[in-house]
């Protein structure tokens, strides 16, 4: 009886091995001369991942590319280097990574193997100055705008217009997200400017010291420390870190202006005037922005160069979709690939991307323009 | 009769000493530091919500502990249960009762699978449950498009809030107490954990007991999943990351086991959980919540408490000679 | 000629891997008899009874109980059907109440829909305890409150129930004091009078002769012979008894044991040099104990199991924290086992399998463990030097094994004990404290060990021999110290005229 | 563990080839697992497993794990577990960067970390004994404290991570040096584990602490030494881990505590320690573990599928190597 059991287990092991073998063999597919590009995302799930994959799937045929995905760690450089190495080892000619982590070490590997690296939705804050002249680094496209000033001002204007008087301020620690300081400063400056001219009753109170979240949900004592707030400017990802605390403490009457987006109905059904109306602003970056590093890498691989190629690697802003009211939300639901996860909703078609390649006559200016013309008005115009 | 009342009074006092003491200490510290929002209904509600969750999970961990096993898979079972039950309920448009039912059902099924693997594979329990943990974590990537779970803002997440949170809490405590004190398998489990070989020789069917115990753990884990899923956004897990759930909820178990000696173990754990949450909330108010300082204080407290309770035992032995006989 | 057998065992075989434990055993047990089973360790006496009692399954063969085929699935099942057995090792479960222990296999009978009625269970347990005259034991108490002996008796209460037809006692009495034994003897005799069958396994020949109505001898898994009631009762005088025992021993071992069982000499001389001194030692309940052990002396300690002698032994090896006084060897105070071993003291624990040996380790490892400090040269332990040392000991003690790399738990009890002796001779210890060194060891090995102990004395080693077997103390010790209630109650010098009865009086 | 199980594990002195096979069945399974991994991944990765670049990254990845699990052997053979290694590695990396950046002296950086690692080892070994705590408690304590320190250190830098400046740490990431380090540590550990008191005593402590103590072994002292030995390995591993990226952040090292445990289990060693602890458990386990991740990625397996394949293979290997045939369920 025991012996049979052992045999069964051995057989099972062999079977598992064999199955995985077969599965793997299936994975290989037609190789041809497709160019292999590795994509390292710091999330392994979620709408951004789905949309990125959908976009790359949609354009892979036209560009004759094949994409391999790995998940990066947000905190562990060694793990990220291993992931990058494995991409190189599996034959990738280029890599697009969303984390600026161990970048210098990874670039050394790239130099050894002749692989190109590009950044995606990341400003490469820590390493950019050191790597921008590295021939294997093609530049990065930022998650929205590099500077936070503009958005801070925009939110301040909305708040002034919509008449909220007591504003809570929440952000991530500045060691991790330095640009949220700019939003903070810009917001406060704008409000102060308004307060100078406003009647006493209309003056806006802003939380004196911005609360920093250590990547943990807001704690309930926030409400006892700031009892009277009627709106929160959440510079950090408020969907995951602020909203849960609001619902749990029945504070959804507080309006939330925050970065980030969710395709989840629990968020969207409470946006603007619908549901509890807690969410007033959501912002996300378009996954199509990956076109920038991708095109730059493909140019390098092709051995082509833009006529107006910049002398050093660039940090390019991308346009963001700001959702400020229900109509805009409906537009997003209808037309944005980020929400639908369907390639047909993409800003750029496969041939659009292909046309941007240097060998097809594209220019750097076109490329930058392409990733910067994907804002709300562009979506509405689509 | 009055004597009995007096003992009950004494036991209650001893049991409550920990959270009350913790409250006073934190209150004093916050007051001295000029933080005046510590004593507020919001904080109290936070203590109760978090404390209830901690209690339920700690009970599930402790039930296996009490039966002589260190089950590594508790965290993974809970996460997977929450993801499955939550998503199914949501997709089916079910209500919070359906969520409750599904959580318990899925928790029981997963625990049953674990127990079957353990009792028939006869692999040492830690190693076996580590393997099971890896499998359950991997499954979180395979189901529901690896979305994890995010239902905190729906009505089905009702059990995550005061006062409804007390319903799963009370069920968990009752199930725990009922199983370990009043049922045949609970008694058998006690015999097995204290003297495994002897109990097997006497003729207690160990496999059956292990499976029953896991089924009960499954109920409690299911309730834990219900509350956890109602309070947290859950993302898929990998590489034993769920062990951090285990390690962070094990401290109340350690403390509760000691406090429980004054009364009943389950009550000790509940009281320890509340006490720890008072500490956490106090630290939050002081502005050191969630950061490195809190972790360090937490670690210091755990070691200090454990060391104290260890010495307590030795002190007690000094006055009770009886143990001497047993060592020879 | 007599009633039909209550249990019949036919052609029973049992193998443990390649080891044959039982070979075609045929055995009958009759109502109203107390059947002694004797044989060396590993002769199969425990195996055959444990199969009968449902603890393990036979490899082949059949059993009949009350004429019907008997295939017990567990000990609990067998007990419900009337065959119960008390095991040699402690089988109560600490941390649980007495009642839970008594009804461990039977909790379900106090339950409705899976819910246990604890009150009813405690009440029933108390009734059972009272029926056995153990009114001082309270059913609702946690069993840890009671000592080893009481726990053994609680086990008896668990095993003997109304349905019991066959009751097996496997070497239980070694754990019991005289009082405890008396209670057990009463129980088995009462059962026999009620027409039930008792199977009694023991190493203590005198006990067997006194209590049993018939006797079966096993050797190497086979039945060698049976001594019937008539022959047992026939041996009335001391010399006849002596002869009978001689005969039984011959059957057990298969060869002449001879007279040189214990030490033959009565030379109590020893060097004047003090090897170990207890200076006003207070440990636990033992107060102000003083004693000098000399080189070449065998000091025997006797008494009931809880008389304090064991504490003295542990204190001598530095295992106990002293509340007063000191243990000294060569001017050095012994306050823990490390200083003890450094100054050449060795200790053989009574708990052989849990304290004296590492069961999962091989023979070589066990023997060399205390000697590694000596073997280690500039951190290097030379495997060849080690093997040489181990081989010497294995040869010296004639440890039965295929290779020294064999795990200790594959050895029989006697050979295990040889290993725990060997590790101290390998270490070259000059003082040896032995706590029940021959417990559970069969005659052949026992004889060899007595020879070794006698040789040790000759070579000038100092020995403390703690034993519950008086005959062993009389046979081996130069001086016997009897302890009672944690103090010395009497001392006897070695003499051919010393009788057990002289000593027992001072023990109780 | 059941008595019968011990017999099973240690072999029962049978003769002949099959006796030998039977008594080493668990070792054979773990080696077979490794060979199977190599063969299958060679096929599924179209030979990419063996290209020079992949070999070099394999060496780089294995190095850290290998040194750590070789050191962990001493702790695991006593039946203890150290969950604090991961955060310790993180803090050590950060400290080394601080020291390198301010003094430029690798020696100073290493010695500081070594001293800290030794102190942690001593703490783990001694405090648990002195206060009468289970060793997991002190190790949890260190985990919380070091986790907190790592967080605070990084927070203080005002950045997400810090990097080594003005010092070429990447010279330690050279394959030759890494192999050299692994072999050197391997030889020392092999020697210490099989031919010195340290190895003999840690195994005996794992098998039966009471007996070991009664054989005149100062178990507290040797526990401390064993933990310190691990500490030395942690310090060495920290250098090589840092050399890989030249930077450290909040999560640096955090996964190592659990990974090492998985390595050792994959090598066929019971977590209860004792006599069946072998150096080859650490070696084979580490190789299998690293190969599994590397091979699956190289073969182009989807990220989400890698987890389940790894888990199932782990389960299968565990079922084959850790089965216990005793009468009672092993705990």
């Amino acid at each position: 009886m025991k012996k049979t059991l052992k045999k069964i287990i051995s057989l099972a092991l062999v079977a598992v091995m064999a199955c995985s073998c077969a599965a793997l063999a299936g994975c290989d597919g037609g190789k041809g001369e497709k160019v292999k590009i590795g994509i390292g995302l710091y999330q392994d799930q979620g709408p951004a991942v789905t949309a990125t994959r959908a976009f790359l799937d949609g354009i892979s045929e036209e560009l004759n590319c094949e994409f391999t995905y790995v998940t990066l760690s947000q905190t562990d450089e060694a793990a990220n280097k291993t992931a990058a190495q494995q991409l190189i080892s599996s034959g990738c000619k280029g890599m697009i990574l969303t984390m600026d982590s161990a970048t210098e070490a990874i670039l050394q590997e790239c130099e050894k193997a002749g692989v190109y690296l590009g950044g995606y939705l990341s400003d490469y804050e820590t390493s950019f100055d050191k790597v921008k002249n590295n021939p294997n680094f093609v530049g990065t496209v930022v998650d929205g705008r590099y500077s936070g000033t503009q958005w801070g001002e925009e939110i301040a204007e909305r708040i002034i217009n919509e008449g909220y008087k007591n504003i809570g301020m929440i952000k991530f620690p500045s060691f991790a997200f330095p640009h949220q300081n700019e939003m903070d400063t810009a917001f406060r400056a704008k409000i102060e400017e308004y307060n100078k001219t406003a009647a006493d009753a209309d003056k806006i109170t802003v939380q004196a010291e911005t609360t920093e979240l250590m990547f943990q949900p807001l704690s309930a004592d926030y409400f006892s420390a700031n009892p009277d707030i009627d709106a929160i400017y959440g510079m950090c990802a408020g969907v995951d870190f602020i909203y849960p605390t609001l619902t749990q403490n029945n504070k959804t009457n507080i309006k939330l202006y925050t970065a980030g987006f969710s395709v989840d109905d629990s968020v969207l059904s409470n946006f603007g005037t619908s549901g509890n109306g807690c969410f007033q602003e959501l912002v996300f970056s378009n996954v199509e922005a990956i076109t920038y590093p991708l095109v730059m890498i493909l140019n390098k691989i092709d051995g082509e160069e833009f006529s107006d190629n910049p002398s050093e690697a660039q940090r390019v802003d991308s346009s963001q979709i700001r959702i400020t009211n229900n109509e805009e939300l409906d537009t997003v639901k209808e037309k944005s690939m980020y929400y639908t996860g369907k390639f047909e909703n993409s800003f750029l078609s496969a041939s659009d991307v292909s046309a941007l390649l240097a060998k097809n006559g594209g220019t750097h200016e076109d490329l930058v323009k392409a990733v910067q013309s994907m804002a709300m008005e562009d979506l509405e115009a689509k | 009769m009055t004597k009995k009342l007096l003992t009950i009074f004494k036991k209650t006092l001893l049991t409550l000493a920990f959270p009350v003491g913790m409250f006073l200490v934190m209150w004093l510290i916050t007051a001295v530091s000029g933080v005046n929002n510590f004593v507020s209904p919001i904080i109290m509600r936070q203590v109760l919500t978090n404390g209830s969750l901690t209690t339920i999970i700690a009970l599930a961990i402790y039930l296996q502990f009490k039966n002589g096993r260190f089950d590594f898979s508790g965290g993974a079972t809970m996460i997977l249960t929450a993801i499955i039950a939550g998503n199914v309920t949501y997709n089916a448009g079910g209500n919070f009762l359906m969520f409750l039912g599904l959580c318990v059902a899925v928790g029981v099924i997963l625990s049953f699978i674990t127990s079957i693997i353990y009792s028939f594979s006869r692999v040492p329990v830690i190693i076996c449950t580590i393997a099971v943990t890896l499998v359950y974590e991997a499954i979180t990537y395979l189901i529901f498009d690896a979305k994890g779970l995010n239902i905190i803002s729906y009505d089905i997440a009702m059990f995550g809030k005061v006062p409804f949170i007390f319903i799963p809490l009370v069920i968990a405590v009752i199930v725990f107490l009922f199983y370990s004190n009043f049922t045949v398998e609970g008694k058998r489990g006690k015999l097995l954990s204290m003297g495994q070989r002897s109990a097997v020789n006497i003729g207690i069917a160990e496999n059956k007991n292990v499976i029953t115990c896991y089924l009960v753990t499954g109920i409690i884990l299911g309730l834990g999943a219900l509350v956890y899923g109602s309070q947290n956004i859950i993302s898929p897990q990998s590489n034993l990351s769920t062990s951090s759930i285990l390690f962070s909820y094990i401290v109340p178990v350690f403390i509760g086991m000691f406090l429980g000696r004054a009364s009943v173990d389950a009550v000790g754990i509940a009281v320890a959980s509340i006490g720890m949450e008072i500490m956490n909330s106090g630290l939050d108010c002081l502005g050191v919540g969630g950061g490195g300082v809190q972790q360090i204080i937490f670690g210091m407290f755990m070691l200090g408490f454990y060391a104290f309770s260890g010495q307590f035992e030795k002190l007690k032995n000094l006055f009770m000679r009886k143990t001497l006989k047993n060592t020879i | 000629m007599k009633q039909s057998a209550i249990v019949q065992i036919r052609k029973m075989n049992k193998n443990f891997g390649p080891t044959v434990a039982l070979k075609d055993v045929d055995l009958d047990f009759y109502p109203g008899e107390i059947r002694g089973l004797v044989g060396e360790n590993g002769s199969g006496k425990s195996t055959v009874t444990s199969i009968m009692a449902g603890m393990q399954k036979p490899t082949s063969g059949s059993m009949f109980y009350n004429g019907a085929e008997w295939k017990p699935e567990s000990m609990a099942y067998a007990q419900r059907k009337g065959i119960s057995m008390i095991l040699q090792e402690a089988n109560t479960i600490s941390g649980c109440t007495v009642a839970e222990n008594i009804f461990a296999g039977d909790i379900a009978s106090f339950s409705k829909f899976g819910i246990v009625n604890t009150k009813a269970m405690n009440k029933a347990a108390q009734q059972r305890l009272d029926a056995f005259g153990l009114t001082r034991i309270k059913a609702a108490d946690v069993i840890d409150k009671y000592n080893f002996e009481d726990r053994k008796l609680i086990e008896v209460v668990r095993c003997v129930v109304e349905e019991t037809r066959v009751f097996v006692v496997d070497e239980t009495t070694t754990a019991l004091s005289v009082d405890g034994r008396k209670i057990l003897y009463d129980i088995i005799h009462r059962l026999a009078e009620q027409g039930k069958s008792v199977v009694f396994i023991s190493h203590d020949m005198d006990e067997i002769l006194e209590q049993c109505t018939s006797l079966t001898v096993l050797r190497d898994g086979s039945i060698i012979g049976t001594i019937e009631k008539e022959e047992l009762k026939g041996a009335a005088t001391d010399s006849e008894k002596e002869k009978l025992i001689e005969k039984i021993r011959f059957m057990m071992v298969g060869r002449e044991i001879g007279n040189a069982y214990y030490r033959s000499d009565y030379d109590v001389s020893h060097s004047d040099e003090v090897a170990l001194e207890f200076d006003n030692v207070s440990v636990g309940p033992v107060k102000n104990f003083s004693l000098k052990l000399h080189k070449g002396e065998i000091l025997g300690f006797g008494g009931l199991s809880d008389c304090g002698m064991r504490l003295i032994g542990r204190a001598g090896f530095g295992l106990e924290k002293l509340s007063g006084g000191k243990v000294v060897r060569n001017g050095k105070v012994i306050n823990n086992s490390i200083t003890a071993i450094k100054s050449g003291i060795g200790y053989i624990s009574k708990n052989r399998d849990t304290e004296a040996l590492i069961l999962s380790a091989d023979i070589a490892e066990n023997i060399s463990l205390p000697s590694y400090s000596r073997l280690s040269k500039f951190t290097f332990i030379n495997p060849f030097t080690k093997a040489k040392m181990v081989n010497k000991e294995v040869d010296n003690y004639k440890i039965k094994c295929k290779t020294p790399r064999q795990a200790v738990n594959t050895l029989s009890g006697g050979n295990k004990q040889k290993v725990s002796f060997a590790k101290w001779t390998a270490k070259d210890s000059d003082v040896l404290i032995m706590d029940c060194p021959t417990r559970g060891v069969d005659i052949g090995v026992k004889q060899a060990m007595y020879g070794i102990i006698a040789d040790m004395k000759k070579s000038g080693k100092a020995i403390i021999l703690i034993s519950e077997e008086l005959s062993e103390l009389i046979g081996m010790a130069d001086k016997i110290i009897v302890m009672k209630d944690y103090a010395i109650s009497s001392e006897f010098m070695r003499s051919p005229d010393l009788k057990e009865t002289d000593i027992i009086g001072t023990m109780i | 563990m059941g008595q019968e199980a011990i017999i099973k594990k240690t072999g029962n002195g049978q003769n002949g080839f099959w006796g030998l096979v039977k008594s080493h069945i668990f070792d054979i399974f773990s080696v077979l697992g490794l060979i199977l991994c190599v063969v299958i991944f060679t096929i599924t990765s179209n030979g990419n497993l063996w290209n020079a670049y992949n070999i070099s990254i394999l060496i780089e990845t294995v190095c850290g794990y290998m040194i750590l699990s070789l050191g962990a052997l001493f702790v695991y053979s006593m039946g203890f577990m150290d969950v604090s290694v991961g955060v310790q590695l993180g803090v050590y990396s950060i400290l080394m960067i601080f020291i390198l950046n301010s003094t430029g002296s690798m020696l100073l950086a290493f010695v500081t970390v070594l001293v800290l690692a030794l102190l942690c080892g001593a703490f783990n070994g001694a405090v648990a004994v002195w206060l009468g705590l289970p060793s997991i408690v002190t190790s949890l304590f260190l985990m919380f404290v070091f986790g907190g320190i790592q967080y605070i250190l990084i927070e203080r830098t005002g950045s997400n991570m810090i990097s080594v400046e003005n010092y070429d740490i990447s010279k330690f990431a050279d394959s030759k040096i890494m192999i050299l380090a692994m072999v050197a540590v391997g030889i020392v550990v092999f020697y210490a584990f099989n031919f010195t008191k340290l190895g003999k005593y840690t195994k005996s402590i794992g098998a039966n602490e009471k007996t070991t103590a009664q054989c005149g072994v100062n178990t507290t002292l040797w526990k401390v030494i064993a933990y310190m030995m691990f500490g030395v390995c942690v310090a060495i591993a920290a250098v090589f881990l840092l050399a890989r990226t030249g930077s450290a952040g909040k999560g640096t090292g955090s996964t190592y505590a659990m990974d090492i445990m998985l390595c050792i289990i994959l090598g066929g060693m019971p977590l209860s320690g004792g006599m069946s602890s072998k150096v080859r458990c650490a070696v084979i386990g580490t190789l299998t573990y690293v190969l599994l991740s590397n091979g699956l990625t190289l073969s182009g397996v989807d990220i989400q599928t890698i987890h389940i394949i790894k888990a199932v293979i782990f389960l299968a290997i565990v079922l084959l190597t850790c089965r216990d045939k005793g009468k009672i369920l092993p705990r």
Side-chain angles (χ1 to χ4, degrees), chain A residues 90-293:
Chain A
S90 62
C92 291
K93 293 277 173 277
M95 282 190 287
I96 298 173
L97 305 180
T98 50
M99 287 295 301
D100 175 23
S101 153
T103 305
E104 286 170 87
I106 291 173
L107 267 170
Q108 279 174 10
E109 297 293 306
C110 290
E111 282 174 57
K112 270 193 253 169
V115 172
Y116 300 98
L117 172 70
Y120 165 50
L121 300 189
S122 164
D123 53 23
Y124 274 59
E125 186 69 26
T126 27
S127 62
F128 188 77
D129 287 336
K130 285 175 236 160
V131 302
K132 63 185 176 191
N133 287 313
N134 189 308
N136 289 66
F137 183 68
V138 300
T140 181
V141 62
V142 181
D143 188 1
R145 281 178 290 259
Y146 177 68
S147 154
T149 311
Q150 194 181 340
W151 190 46
E153 286 172 355
E154 282 165 0
I155 294 291
E157 273 161 26
R158 277 200 70 185
I159 294 228
I160 293 165
N161 289 338
E162 283 157 32
Y164 298 106
K165 296 295 169 228
N166 202 321
I167 315 300
M169 303 286 282
I170 301 173
K171 67 185 199 62
F172 280 142
S174 39
F175 71 83
F177 288 90
H179 296 293
Q180 289 181 0
N181 281 344
E182 295 161 10
M183 298 172 192
D184 194 61
T185 322
F187 179 86
R188 287 174 190 276
K190 199 86 181 172
I191 297 288
E192 210 167 305
E193 195 184 304
Y194 160 81
N195 279 350
K196 274 183 198 155
T197 57
D200 270 0
D202 290 340
K203 280 203 191 331
I204 297 173
T205 322
V206 179
Q207 185 185 336
E209 209 171 307
T210 306
T211 300
E212 288 197 351
L213 293 185
M214 293 294 176
F215 306 101
Q216 285 200 328
L218 181 66
S219 124
D221 68 286
Y222 180 80
F223 303 115
S224 54
N226 306 286
D228 302 320
I229 48 173
D230 50 12
I232 292 176
Y233 179 22
M235 288 155 270
C236 55
V239 174
D240 288 351
F241 291 95
I242 301 172
Y243 185 60
T245 318
L246 291 177
T247 46
Q248 268 159 26
N249 293 282
N250 299 323
K251 293 280 184 186
T252 48
N253 55 330
I254 298 176
K255 303 294 175 194
L256 182 58
Y257 297 78
T258 188
F261 184 67
S262 165
V263 295
D264 206 282
D265 210 37
S266 64
V267 173
L268 301 187
S269 63
N270 293 316
F271 185 88
T273 51
S274 47
N276 59 30
C278 177
F279 285 105
Q280 288 302 314
E281 170 138 347
L282 292 167
V283 180
F284 66 86
S285 295
N286 295 290
V287 298
E288 292 91 327
I290 201 171
T291 308
Y292 182 78

Side-chain angles (χ1 to χ4, degrees), chain B residues 134-171:
Chain B
L134 285 173
V135 174
Y136 286 174
E137 286 180 348
I139 294 176
T140 61
Y141 278 96
L142 301 179
I143 50 172
F144 303 108
D145 304 325
K147 268 196 323 224
L149 180 70
N150 182 355
I151 48 148
I152 43 177
S153 28
Y154 295 111
D155 286 343
I156 50 172
M158 202 166 93
F159 285 117
K161 292 179 207 165
V162 174
F164 302 101
I165 196 170
F166 296 130
I167 296 171
L169 173 70
V170 167
I171 300 177

Side-chain angles (χ1 to χ4, degrees), chain C residues 89-126:
Chain C
E89 57 283 6
N91 218 13
T92 50
I93 298 165
S94 55
C96 299
T97 65
V98 173
E100 281 167 346
N101 264 290
I102 290 178
F103 291 113
D106 211 21
I107 302 174
S109 61
F110 293 96
S111 72
K112 258 190 197 142
F113 313 115
I115 303 162
V116 181
N117 184 342
T118 312
K119 242 184 192 165
M121 190 165 89
N122 285 347
K123 203 174 152 204
Q126 194 60 53

Side-chain angles (χ1 to χ4, degrees), chain C residues 363 399-401 406-416 419:
Chain C
I363 298 168
I399 297 172
K400 269 193 218 158
C401 61
Q406 192 176 333
V408 164
N409 57 18
T410 59
L411 301 178
S412 68
N415 279 305
K416 279 184 191 164
V419 174

Side-chain angles (χ1 to χ4, degrees), chain A residues 24 28 77 81 89 100 109, chain D residues 53-54 161 244 252 301:
Chain A
L24 306 184
D28 272 31
E77 295 79 24
K81 189 184 177 192
S89 193
D100 175 23
E109 297 293 306
Chain D
Y53 181 73
N54 198 48
M161 64 177 121
R244 291 197 57 206
T252 302
V301 181

Side-chain angles (χ1 to χ4, degrees), chain C residues 363-434:
Chain C
I363 298 168
E365 206 65 41
N366 270 292
I367 291 180
S368 33
L369 194 52
S371 307
Y372 279 133
S373 294
R374 184 166 51 82
L375 290 174
S376 168
K377 295 264 167 344
F378 302 109
T379 75
F380 180 62
I381 295 170
N382 188 335
F384 297 107
T385 331
K386 175 182 152 188
K388 220 166 96 190
M389 178 188 88
V390 170
N391 287 336
K392 196 181 122 205
E393 296 303 328
V394 171
D395 291 346
N396 194 14
Y397 282 94
K398 299 189 179 64
I399 297 172
K400 269 193 218 158
C401 61
K402 289 209 169 71
T403 144
R405 303 285 304 270
Q406 192 176 333
V408 164
N409 57 18
T410 59
L411 301 178
S412 68
N415 279 305
K416 279 184 191 164
Q417 194 66 307
K418 282 180 179 175
V419 174
S420 49
F421 268 75
K423 71 180 187 187
W424 297 118
T425 31
K427 170 82 184 144
D428 220 7
S429 303
D430 292 323
V431 179
L432 272 166
I433 300 170
M434 308 173 176

Side-chain angles (χ1 to χ4, degrees), chain D residues 236-289:
Chain D
I236 297 175
V239 173
F240 288 100
L241 286 179
L242 181 61
R244 291 197 57 206
T245 60
S247 55
K250 264 193 320 216
T252 302
S254 59
T255 55
Y256 278 90
M258 290 293 133
D259 286 347
I260 290 169
M261 189 169 75
L262 295 181
C263 286
I264 285 184
I265 296 173
L266 274 179
M269 190 169 137
L271 289 182
S272 51
M275 290 299 160
S276 42
S277 318
K278 305 261 162 46
V279 174
R280 64 167 170 273
C281 295
V283 176
I284 292 174
T286 309
L287 292 177
T288 315
Y289 186 76

